[in-house]
Amino acid sequence: MRQLARAGPGHAIAATLILSACGVAQHISPATRTTPTAPTPTTMPRTLSVVEAAALIGRTVTGSRPVLLPQAIPVGYTAHLILSADDFQVTYASVDGSRRIFVELGVAQPAPAQPDGTQSYPRFRGVMALYQVDSQSPPTSRRFIDWGEPGTASPNLQIKPEYGVPYFLSTEGFADSEFWQIANSLGPVAGPRS
């Protein structure tokens, strides 16, 4: 009788890649949260003030343009940051952590909406975007917008040039009108000085 070898982590990764190529991997384990891409960090994850995070992102992210951040961050929030020269992830959080704003320059992999959630494709910042509300109850459930900003993405992100710069913005604990106030406040961050 033949003995079967126990599959190691390399086998699990290979199986996932094969199943992904066949379009089957999505059925392995349903995700309940956004699983953003992990940028190659040049610094360890850091917690900074909103102003300090914007300055560090502007100095560090040089491979993609434009670099955008929301300006309508509530007072008293802190920024948890991971970044590289190509991309970044920043989570702005309230003091008690109940309200969060997440911004990513990179390719996000959000989970599908709940049965009572919605998806639409509005024009946002001059391009077609994906807008999702995870659930209608509570009215402050997670919602996001995912779009390709006109500009130049770092070649390291392996994005087709016609897509632009991949951006993802989500909130938790904010009503729809608050989400759009934050989304509509996106603006460019000053880059390094020459």
Side-chain angles (χ1 to χ4, degrees):
M1 184 172 190
R2 234 171 100 181
Q3 287 188 333
L4 296 176
R6 175 176 244 174
H11 291 106
I13 291 169
T16 302
L17 290 173
I18 291 167
L19 291 172
S20 293
C22 297
V24 178
Q26 64 188 1
H27 302 293
I28 292 173
S29 172
T32 57
R33 310 295 280 172
T34 298
T35 308
T37 57
T40 307
T42 57
T43 59
M44 293 301 292
R46 305 172 73 163
T47 301
L48 304 167
S49 74
V50 171
V51 172
E52 292 169 329
L56 184 57
I57 290 168
R59 285 192 313 269
T60 306
V61 181
T62 57
S64 298
R65 288 286 181 242
V67 175
L68 304 173
L69 288 174
Q71 307 302 306
I73 304 297
V75 174
Y77 277 48
T78 56
H80 182 76
L81 178 63
I82 301 173
L83 73 163
S84 76
D86 304 314
D87 52 8
F88 70 88
Q89 298 173 356
V90 61
T91 302
Y92 302 101
S94 62
V95 173
D96 67 1
S98 65
R99 292 170 49 111
R100 289 180 297 285
I101 302 163
F102 176 78
V103 182
E104 177 177 16
L105 186 164
V107 180
Q109 299 172 353
Q114 300 298 315
D116 68 333
T118 61
Q119 282 190 342
S120 61
Y121 298 90
R123 285 199 63 76
F124 179 68
R125 299 184 58 82
V127 298
M128 192 67 67
L130 168 62
Y131 175 62
Q132 177 176 303
V133 177
D134 281 356
S135 175
Q136 296 302 312
S137 71
T140 57
S141 73
R142 187 181 77 115
R143 58 199 68 233
F144 70 78
I145 194 156
D146 190 359
W147 75 102
E149 180 73 18
T152 305
S154 167
N156 294 332
L157 297 179
Q158 299 180 354
I159 302 297
K160 290 182 179 181
E162 59 271 16
Y163 183 78
V165 183
Y167 271 96
F168 181 86
L169 168 70
S170 72
T171 63
E172 290 183 54
F174 291 86
D176 198 60
S177 62
E178 295 171 305
F179 171 85
W180 287 109
Q181 180 182 4
I182 293 163
N184 290 325
S185 76
L186 284 162
V189 176
R193 296 177 189 212
S194 305

